[in-house]
Amino acid sequence: MSITIRDVAQAAGVSTATVSRALRGLPHVDPETRERVRRVAAEMDYVVSPSASRLASGRTGTVAVITPFIDRWFFSTVLSGISDVLQESDVDLLVYEVGDPATSPGLPAERRLRGRVDGVIVVTLPTDAPRIADLLEIGLPASFIGVRWPGVPSVCIDDAAAARMATQHLINLGHERVGILSGRPQASTSQAARARGYTEAMKGAGLEPEEAAYGYFTVAGGESAMTSLLSQPRPPTAVFAMSDDMAFGAIRALQRHGIRPGVDIAIASIDGHDLSELLDLTTVGQPVEQMGRMAAHALLDRMLGRDNPDAGDPDAGEIAVPTTLVVRGSTVPVERTTSLG
Amino acid sequence: MSITIRDVAQAAGVSTATVSRALRGLPHVDPETRERVRRVAAEMDYVVSPSASRLASGRTGTVAVITPFIDRWFFSTVLSGISDVLQESDVDLLVYEVGDPATSPGLPAERRLRGRVDGVIVVTLPTDAPRIADLLEIGLPASFIGVRWPGVPSVCIDDAAAARMATQHLINLGHERVGILSGRPQASTSQAARARGYTEAMKGAGLEPEEAAYGYFTVAGGESAMTSLLSQPRPPTAVFAMSDDMAFGAIRALQRHGIRPGVDIAIASIDGHDLSELLDLTTVGQPVEQMGRMAAHALLDRMLGRDNPDAGDPDAGEIAVPTTLVVRGSTVPVERTTSLG
DNA sequence: GGGTTGTCTGTAAGCGATTGCGGCAATGCC
DNA sequence: GGCATTGCCGCAATCGCTTACAGACAACCC
C-alpha cells in the first residue's frame, strides 16, 4: 500500500542503494542520476520510512527533553528555544515531563531513552538525581540547563552572582532588613548558589542574613511565604525572591495585607519573567529562550561530533550566560518605605 | 554490543517469538515460561529496540502535538495536560511548534508525520489552514483543540457564549460603551465566535458594538490596542478582551495613562490565566489543562479503536467544555468609574 | 599498454523486532 | 482407542532501509 524505496528504485531504473544515496545527498552519485531520482521520488510522493531508516542506521533523528514542568514560564520558554533550534536541523523533539523532582520519581529510566533518541537535554533538576549518571552511562550525548555536570555542556547562569546582584541592589537602596524567599529546604545546587549570593551580599554589607521562607518556586508558595514573613515581629523592609513566580505570589500577599510593593516595601527577584514588567517588578533577567537554544546547539554539536573538545579545561562544557538587573518600580529606597515594624 | 531479543531467547531457552509474546503480555504463553522470560530479560537488562519494534509492527507508540507556540500560557498548559495522559499510557510525545499560522508556513507537511506517529493532536489553528485536510487524508487518527472539524474529536469551549458572558457581565454593571480587544483582522473561527458573542450581547442590550482594536492575542498587542482605544474622543468605560494576555497588556497601557483598572475603567476577558488572579482580572475561565487531557484521551480512544462511533450524530466528535465567569476587582459598576470621555 | 586512481552503481547482508502458520503434546469426548 | 480440541511454542518470512563491498568503466600517468 505505502510506497517504498524499492518502488522508487524501479521507477527510476536504479538500485535502492542509489536511491538512498541520492535522496540523502551522499556523494558518489551522478548529478544527473540524483536529479532523476529526486524527481521520481517527488512525483510518487515518496517519503522515507523513519522506522526502517532508524533500524538500519541506528540513528533516530530525535532528541528528548527532560523537564520537571512544561506549563511554567521558565520551562516552556526554554522548550521553545530548544524546539526552534532542533526544528532547523530537522530533529524531532520528544518531551518528558517528570514533575517536581522532590516528589516524583524524577527522570525517566534510561531504559526508556535507550534506542529511542540520539541525545537528551535535561532541564534544571537537583544534581542529586541519581539517574542522571545512568543516562550518561549509556553514552547518550547530553546537555544540561541549570545544572552543572563534569564533561557535559551545561548552560547556566551564575546563580550566586544573580542573587548577589539583586540583594546588593536592595542594600544599596538603604535596606538593612532584607528577607529572602527561597525554594525548599533541601536545595538544588542552583538554589543553594542563590542562597549563597544573598548571604554574601548581606554579610559583605555587615548585615545579618534573614532566615529563608520557603516558597517552592510557585506563585502560591511565594504568597504564603511572604505572608509568614509579614507575621514576624519586625518584618523586613525589602525582600529578595529567588524567582519571579514567588515574587508574584509575594506581591499578592502584600496586596491582601494592604501593603504596596514599591511604596511600603521593596522587592526584587530573579528570572525576567514575561509579566514582570507588567507588575513593575525589579528582577535579574536571564536569557531563558537563548539558554534553550544554546543547550540545543551544544547537544547537536556533540551528536555530530563537531564540538571542539577543549581537553584539559576542568570546566569544559560549562556555558555561562549573562544576567542583567532590570530595575523597576518595585524597588524603592528604604527612606521612602513606610516602617512596617 | 547491545543485547537483543535473540540473546534473551537463548538465555531463557525459548524462541524469540515466545520472548516477544511473553514480554508484551500476549496470550498463548505458559505462565511459568512467561515468568522465566521476564526474569531473564530483567537480569540481562534487556530493553526492546523501539526501531525494530516499529518497523515490524508498524506502530510507533508516539503522538505528535502540533501547536503554534509552546511558550505561551494557554499552549503550555494544554501541552502539560496532554503530556500527563500520554505518559500514563506510555505513549511518547513529539512536539511541533509551528508558529503563528498567520505568518508562518503553519502545519508541518503531512509528509513529516507519515510513519512517524500513530496520531496527532492539533491545537488551535485557524480552520482555513489547508494542510489540516492533508493530515487527515493519510488516515492518521487525530484530535483537535479549539477548532471544530467534522468527524474529528474537537475539544472546544463555546467561544460565543464565553464572550457573551463576559460582555453581558460588563453590561449588567451598567456599562454602555464597551470596547473590544480582538485578535487580528482575518479571524480564526474561534475568534470570530468570540466577536459574535460580544456583538450579540451588545445588540441584545440595545447597545452599539464598538469597532474592534487588534491585539493579536499578545501582551504587547493588547497594550497598543488599548492605547489606541484610549485615544478615541470618547473612550469606552469598559473593555472586553478576547484573551487574558491582551487584558494584561491593556492593564499595562492603563497604568501608563494613570488610569486604574477596576476603578476608572472596567475590564474583563477570557482565559483564566494563572496570573489573572494576581492582577485581579475578571475573566471567563476555561479548564485548559483539562482540555489537553480530554483531547489526549479522545485520541487514544481513536487509536485503540475503542471510541464509540456515535454514527448519525452530525456533531459527532465535538467535545464541549464549560466555562465559568470569575468575577474579580477589575470589573466595577459604571457609576463608580470616572468618566474618561 | 598496463597499472593506478577515481567515479558511479549494484548486490546483498544486515538492523531487531513482530506475527501468521504449522507442529506437537496433552486433554476431552464419544 | 480414535479423533477433534486446546494450549504452547518454534520457524521463518516480513517490515523498509542503510551500507560494506565489489564490479564496471573511464581517465590518467609513466
Side-chain angles (χ1 to χ4, degrees), chain B residues 71-97:
Chain B
D71 59 350
R72 294 195 190 174
W73 172 78
F74 179 87
F75 301 95
S76 67
T77 306
V78 161
L79 257 181
S80 180
I82 293 173
S83 162
D84 239 38
V85 172
L86 258 33
Q87 220 151 79
E88 280 168 19
S89 301
D90 266 338
V91 171
D92 281 334
L93 196 185
L94 217 46
V95 178
Y96 291 103
E97 184 180 26

mmCIF file of all heavy atoms in Angstrom, chain B residues 71-97:
data_model
loop_
_atom_site.group_PDB
_atom_site.id
_atom_site.type_symbol
_atom_site.label_atom_id
_atom_site.label_comp_id
_atom_site.label_asym_id
_atom_site.label_seq_id
_atom_site.Cartn_x
_atom_site.Cartn_y
_atom_site.Cartn_z
ATOM 1 N N ASP B 71 5.527 28.501 24.316
ATOM 2 C CA ASP B 71 5.895 29.353 25.438
ATOM 3 C C ASP B 71 4.807 30.374 25.787
ATOM 4 O O ASP B 71 5.108 31.441 26.276
ATOM 5 C CB ASP B 71 7.220 30.054 25.149
ATOM 6 C CG ASP B 71 7.144 30.894 23.889
ATOM 7 O OD1 ASP B 71 6.145 30.774 23.156
ATOM 8 O OD2 ASP B 71 8.075 31.674 23.650
ATOM 9 N N ARG B 72 3.581 30.028 25.522
ATOM 10 C CA ARG B 72 2.504 30.885 25.995
ATOM 11 C C ARG B 72 1.612 30.068 26.895
ATOM 12 O O ARG B 72 1.407 28.876 26.664
ATOM 13 C CB ARG B 72 1.683 31.426 24.823
ATOM 14 C CG ARG B 72 2.498 32.355 23.968
ATOM 15 C CD ARG B 72 1.607 33.149 23.054
ATOM 16 N NE ARG B 72 2.392 33.867 22.082
ATOM 17 C CZ ARG B 72 1.867 34.550 21.076
ATOM 18 N NH1 ARG B 72 0.552 34.583 20.934
ATOM 19 N NH2 ARG B 72 2.641 35.187 20.241
ATOM 20 N N TRP B 73 1.061 30.765 27.859
ATOM 21 C CA TRP B 73 0.335 30.093 28.917
ATOM 22 C C TRP B 73 -0.658 29.047 28.416
ATOM 23 O O TRP B 73 -0.607 27.892 28.825
ATOM 24 C CB TRP B 73 -0.394 31.124 29.782
ATOM 25 C CG TRP B 73 -1.310 30.481 30.753
ATOM 26 C CD1 TRP B 73 -0.945 29.888 31.922
ATOM 27 C CD2 TRP B 73 -2.717 30.322 30.630
ATOM 28 N NE1 TRP B 73 -2.052 29.370 32.542
ATOM 29 C CE2 TRP B 73 -3.146 29.623 31.780
ATOM 30 C CE3 TRP B 73 -3.653 30.702 29.668
ATOM 31 C CZ2 TRP B 73 -4.477 29.300 31.978
ATOM 32 C CZ3 TRP B 73 -4.978 30.376 29.880
ATOM 33 C CH2 TRP B 73 -5.390 29.691 31.014
ATOM 34 N N PHE B 74 -1.550 29.447 27.531
ATOM 35 C CA PHE B 74 -2.585 28.533 27.070
ATOM 36 C C PHE B 74 -1.987 27.261 26.486
ATOM 37 O O PHE B 74 -2.368 26.144 26.833
ATOM 38 C CB PHE B 74 -3.462 29.223 26.021
ATOM 39 C CG PHE B 74 -4.552 28.341 25.463
ATOM 40 C CD1 PHE B 74 -5.773 28.245 26.098
ATOM 41 C CD2 PHE B 74 -4.343 27.600 24.309
ATOM 42 C CE1 PHE B 74 -6.779 27.427 25.598
ATOM 43 C CE2 PHE B 74 -5.339 26.773 23.802
ATOM 44 C CZ PHE B 74 -6.561 26.695 24.444
ATOM 45 N N PHE B 75 -1.018 27.436 25.637
ATOM 46 C CA PHE B 75 -0.465 26.292 24.916
ATOM 47 C C PHE B 75 0.369 25.386 25.812
ATOM 48 O O PHE B 75 0.282 24.165 25.720
ATOM 49 C CB PHE B 75 0.324 26.780 23.716
ATOM 50 C CG PHE B 75 -0.518 27.584 22.771
ATOM 51 C CD1 PHE B 75 -0.559 28.968 22.851
ATOM 52 C CD2 PHE B 75 -1.317 26.958 21.835
ATOM 53 C CE1 PHE B 75 -1.376 29.714 21.999
ATOM 54 C CE2 PHE B 75 -2.136 27.687 20.984
ATOM 55 C CZ PHE B 75 -2.155 29.073 21.066
ATOM 56 N N SER B 76 1.165 25.986 26.659
ATOM 57 C CA SER B 76 1.983 25.143 27.527
ATOM 58 C C SER B 76 1.107 24.399 28.521
ATOM 59 O O SER B 76 1.410 23.266 28.906
ATOM 60 C CB SER B 76 3.048 25.975 28.247
ATOM 61 O OG SER B 76 2.458 26.863 29.154
ATOM 62 N N THR B 77 0.018 25.025 28.903
ATOM 63 C CA THR B 77 -0.880 24.352 29.842
ATOM 64 C C THR B 77 -1.597 23.182 29.168
ATOM 65 O O THR B 77 -1.720 22.098 29.741
ATOM 66 C CB THR B 77 -1.896 25.355 30.406
ATOM 67 O OG1 THR B 77 -1.206 26.475 30.955
ATOM 68 C CG2 THR B 77 -2.749 24.704 31.480
ATOM 69 N N VAL B 78 -2.044 23.415 27.964
ATOM 70 C CA VAL B 78 -2.648 22.327 27.192
ATOM 71 C C VAL B 78 -1.643 21.182 27.030
ATOM 72 O O VAL B 78 -1.954 20.018 27.269
ATOM 73 C CB VAL B 78 -3.070 22.826 25.794
ATOM 74 C CG1 VAL B 78 -3.244 21.651 24.852
ATOM 75 C CG2 VAL B 78 -4.368 23.607 25.887
ATOM 76 N N LEU B 79 -0.443 21.543 26.660
ATOM 77 C CA LEU B 79 0.607 20.554 26.464
ATOM 78 C C LEU B 79 0.825 19.715 27.705
ATOM 79 O O LEU B 79 0.985 18.492 27.642
ATOM 80 C CB LEU B 79 1.918 21.259 26.115
ATOM 81 C CG LEU B 79 2.348 21.255 24.674
ATOM 82 C CD1 LEU B 79 3.675 21.976 24.529
ATOM 83 C CD2 LEU B 79 2.493 19.824 24.167
ATOM 84 N N SER B 80 0.831 20.390 28.813
ATOM 85 C CA SER B 80 1.063 19.697 30.063
ATOM 86 C C SER B 80 -0.036 18.661 30.314
ATOM 87 O O SER B 80 0.243 17.534 30.736
ATOM 88 C CB SER B 80 1.126 20.702 31.196
ATOM 89 O OG SER B 80 1.350 20.063 32.413
ATOM 90 N N GLY B 81 -1.260 19.042 30.044
ATOM 91 C CA GLY B 81 -2.367 18.101 30.214
ATOM 92 C C GLY B 81 -2.222 16.908 29.286
ATOM 93 O O GLY B 81 -2.396 15.754 29.692
ATOM 94 N N ILE B 82 -1.881 17.188 28.062
ATOM 95 C CA ILE B 82 -1.686 16.117 27.087
ATOM 96 C C ILE B 82 -0.569 15.191 27.544
ATOM 97 O O ILE B 82 -0.715 13.963 27.549
ATOM 98 C CB ILE B 82 -1.323 16.711 25.710
ATOM 99 C CG1 ILE B 82 -2.510 17.497 25.140
ATOM 100 C CG2 ILE B 82 -0.901 15.612 24.752
ATOM 101 C CD1 ILE B 82 -2.187 18.252 23.862
ATOM 102 N N SER B 83 0.522 15.791 27.938
ATOM 103 C CA SER B 83 1.684 15.026 28.356
ATOM 104 C C SER B 83 1.332 14.060 29.481
ATOM 105 O O SER B 83 1.739 12.897 29.479
ATOM 106 C CB SER B 83 2.773 15.996 28.808
ATOM 107 O OG SER B 83 3.724 15.345 29.592
ATOM 108 N N ASP B 84 0.575 14.549 30.417
ATOM 109 C CA ASP B 84 0.143 13.732 31.543
ATOM 110 C C ASP B 84 -0.551 12.457 31.095
ATOM 111 O O ASP B 84 -0.189 11.354 31.513
ATOM 112 C CB ASP B 84 -0.877 14.549 32.344
ATOM 113 C CG ASP B 84 -0.418 14.748 33.755
ATOM 114 O OD1 ASP B 84 0.805 14.951 33.925
ATOM 115 O OD2 ASP B 84 -1.264 14.697 34.659
ATOM 116 N N VAL B 85 -1.543 12.634 30.273
ATOM 117 C CA VAL B 85 -2.347 11.493 29.827
ATOM 118 C C VAL B 85 -1.512 10.516 29.000
ATOM 119 O O VAL B 85 -1.573 9.303 29.184
ATOM 120 C CB VAL B 85 -3.542 11.984 28.989
ATOM 121 C CG1 VAL B 85 -4.266 10.807 28.359
ATOM 122 C CG2 VAL B 85 -4.491 12.778 29.864
ATOM 123 N N LEU B 86 -0.730 11.076 28.100
ATOM 124 C CA LEU B 86 0.082 10.244 27.233
ATOM 125 C C LEU B 86 1.068 9.414 28.050
ATOM 126 O O LEU B 86 1.307 8.235 27.756
ATOM 127 C CB LEU B 86 0.831 11.123 26.235
ATOM 128 C CG LEU B 86 0.277 11.193 24.814
ATOM 129 C CD1 LEU B 86 -1.226 11.073 24.789
ATOM 130 C CD2 LEU B 86 0.719 12.462 24.122
ATOM 131 N N GLN B 87 1.634 10.057 29.046
ATOM 132 C CA GLN B 87 2.638 9.360 29.835
ATOM 133 C C GLN B 87 2.032 8.159 30.565
ATOM 134 O O GLN B 87 2.658 7.110 30.662
ATOM 135 C CB GLN B 87 3.258 10.331 30.835
ATOM 136 C CG GLN B 87 4.740 10.149 30.981
ATOM 137 C CD GLN B 87 5.444 11.443 31.349
ATOM 138 O OE1 GLN B 87 5.445 11.856 32.485
ATOM 139 N NE2 GLN B 87 6.056 12.090 30.373
ATOM 140 N N GLU B 88 0.824 8.338 31.010
ATOM 141 C CA GLU B 88 0.139 7.232 31.687
ATOM 142 C C GLU B 88 0.012 6.017 30.765
ATOM 143 O O GLU B 88 0.006 4.882 31.212
ATOM 144 C CB GLU B 88 -1.267 7.654 32.119
ATOM 145 C CG GLU B 88 -1.302 8.469 33.392
ATOM 146 C CD GLU B 88 -2.667 9.102 33.591
ATOM 147 O OE1 GLU B 88 -3.637 8.629 32.958
ATOM 148 O OE2 GLU B 88 -2.750 10.082 34.352
ATOM 149 N N SER B 89 -0.142 6.294 29.482
ATOM 150 C CA SER B 89 -0.314 5.196 28.528
ATOM 151 C C SER B 89 0.994 4.806 27.864
ATOM 152 O O SER B 89 1.005 4.086 26.873
ATOM 153 C CB SER B 89 -1.332 5.589 27.458
ATOM 154 O OG SER B 89 -2.561 5.894 28.050
ATOM 155 N N ASP B 90 2.093 5.334 28.384
ATOM 156 C CA ASP B 90 3.395 5.012 27.807
ATOM 157 C C ASP B 90 3.507 5.389 26.339
ATOM 158 O O ASP B 90 4.116 4.657 25.556
ATOM 159 C CB ASP B 90 3.682 3.520 27.962
ATOM 160 C CG ASP B 90 4.479 3.254 29.229
ATOM 161 O OD1 ASP B 90 5.130 4.194 29.697
ATOM 162 O OD2 ASP B 90 4.437 2.124 29.727
ATOM 163 N N VAL B 91 2.886 6.483 25.998
ATOM 164 C CA VAL B 91 2.979 6.964 24.624
ATOM 165 C C VAL B 91 3.910 8.170 24.598
ATOM 166 O O VAL B 91 3.837 9.031 25.473
ATOM 167 C CB VAL B 91 1.583 7.368 24.097
ATOM 168 C CG1 VAL B 91 1.699 8.066 22.764
ATOM 169 C CG2 VAL B 91 0.690 6.159 23.995
ATOM 170 N N ASP B 92 4.800 8.203 23.632
ATOM 171 C CA ASP B 92 5.738 9.317 23.552
ATOM 172 C C ASP B 92 5.103 10.541 22.931
ATOM 173 O O ASP B 92 4.213 10.445 22.097
ATOM 174 C CB ASP B 92 6.963 8.905 22.728
ATOM 175 C CG ASP B 92 7.927 8.069 23.539
ATOM 176 O OD1 ASP B 92 7.930 8.213 24.775
ATOM 177 O OD2 ASP B 92 8.676 7.275 22.949
ATOM 178 N N LEU B 93 5.598 11.699 23.360
ATOM 179 C CA LEU B 93 5.036 12.961 22.909
ATOM 180 C C LEU B 93 6.042 13.719 22.062
ATOM 181 O O LEU B 93 7.097 14.119 22.544
ATOM 182 C CB LEU B 93 4.653 13.798 24.139
ATOM 183 C CG LEU B 93 3.737 14.992 23.999
ATOM 184 C CD1 LEU B 93 3.624 15.702 25.328
ATOM 185 C CD2 LEU B 93 4.211 15.964 22.962
ATOM 186 N N LEU B 94 5.682 13.924 20.812
ATOM 187 C CA LEU B 94 6.530 14.666 19.887
ATOM 188 C C LEU B 94 5.898 16.040 19.703
ATOM 189 O O LEU B 94 4.699 16.126 19.434
ATOM 190 C CB LEU B 94 6.541 13.923 18.553
ATOM 191 C CG LEU B 94 7.794 13.849 17.708
ATOM 192 C CD1 LEU B 94 8.990 13.495 18.571
ATOM 193 C CD2 LEU B 94 7.605 12.800 16.633
ATOM 194 N N VAL B 95 6.695 17.093 19.867
ATOM 195 C CA VAL B 95 6.109 18.435 19.776
ATOM 196 C C VAL B 95 6.592 19.172 18.532
ATOM 197 O O VAL B 95 7.791 19.248 18.276
ATOM 198 C CB VAL B 95 6.469 19.270 21.017
ATOM 199 C CG1 VAL B 95 5.904 20.670 20.887
ATOM 200 C CG2 VAL B 95 5.934 18.610 22.270
ATOM 201 N N TYR B 96 5.647 19.667 17.786
ATOM 202 C CA TYR B 96 5.998 20.522 16.657
ATOM 203 C C TYR B 96 5.452 21.918 16.909
ATOM 204 O O TYR B 96 4.244 22.118 16.978
ATOM 205 C CB TYR B 96 5.396 19.976 15.361
ATOM 206 C CG TYR B 96 6.019 18.692 14.902
ATOM 207 C CD1 TYR B 96 5.374 17.476 15.077
ATOM 208 C CD2 TYR B 96 7.277 18.687 14.317
ATOM 209 C CE1 TYR B 96 5.957 16.286 14.664
ATOM 210 C CE2 TYR B 96 7.868 17.501 13.907
ATOM 211 C CZ TYR B 96 7.203 16.310 14.081
ATOM 212 O OH TYR B 96 7.795 15.144 13.672
ATOM 213 N N GLU B 97 6.352 22.865 17.060
ATOM 214 C CA GLU B 97 5.938 24.249 17.272
ATOM 215 C C GLU B 97 5.944 24.929 15.907
ATOM 216 O O GLU B 97 6.989 25.033 15.270
ATOM 217 C CB GLU B 97 6.913 24.949 18.224
ATOM 218 C CG GLU B 97 6.508 26.364 18.569
ATOM 219 C CD GLU B 97 7.518 27.012 19.530
ATOM 220 O OE1 GLU B 97 8.691 26.598 19.537
ATOM 221 O OE2 GLU B 97 7.116 27.945 20.250
#
